Amino acid sequence: MKQPMDTTELTPSSPSFERRDPAQFDDQTLVAALVAGDERAWVELLRRHGPTMKRCITSVTSRFRKVASPEDEQDIFATVCLRLLQNDYSRLSAFDPERGCSLSSWLGTITVRATYDFLRKHKRDSKRNCEVVLDAFESSAPDPFDQCLTRERSSHVNGWMQHMQQRDRIFLEQVCTESTDPKQLATEMGISVATVYSKKHKLLARLSNMAAQEPAYAAA
């Protein structure tokens, strides 16, 4: 009858520790061996729990295929492994089976969190990259469409103004210029400022009516 393994011999301080096959270790002893610097323990941990960690990654990324690729899944797995090894195995050292959580579940939780962290960062980076690309296409030069539209509007307005008397055209050109002071214009014309605004609105109303009847002008 096979005798049960004496776990007291499998502590990192045991003389026979290095001669043991990590495949025989339970999860707690495996973690202790890894923290003690046994490279074989790391290989065994990945053999034993690596497939579960990868399934945890794909269970998340499969819902975000537009964001995460198979190459990203490999990066995530590598990131999780790096986190487990960082800071003298601080995350692995925190594992305690007495809390009622198996090593497989504990590693799965770390992996899922790392996967969501990756997706959030990837989304932010993608948004920034998109903004950079859009900025690269921006130009300080006038928009060609706006220029074309402005020329077309000016052509129509000039055409409509040809149907006005010359003094009205001159007045409208003066009053619609930003640099023209209505008070100064009123003084030069010998009329009140109120008359300037009233005449301006009447002439603009005439232009508006001409614009509404443009098909009739074209037919003529």
Side-chain angles (χ1 to χ4, degrees), residues 148-164:
C148 180
L149 185 60
T150 299
R151 287 196 298 268
E152 184 175 352
R153 286 175 175 173
S154 298
S155 176
H156 282 293
V157 171
N158 289 332
W160 299 327
M161 289 179 67
Q162 295 305 313
H163 296 272
M164 294 181 175

Side-chain angles (χ1 to χ4, degrees), residues 199-211:
K199 186 175 181 66
K200 172 185 176 181
H201 290 308
K202 288 180 180 179
L203 292 176
L204 290 178
R206 284 183 59 187
L207 284 178
S208 179
N209 291 334
M210 292 178 185

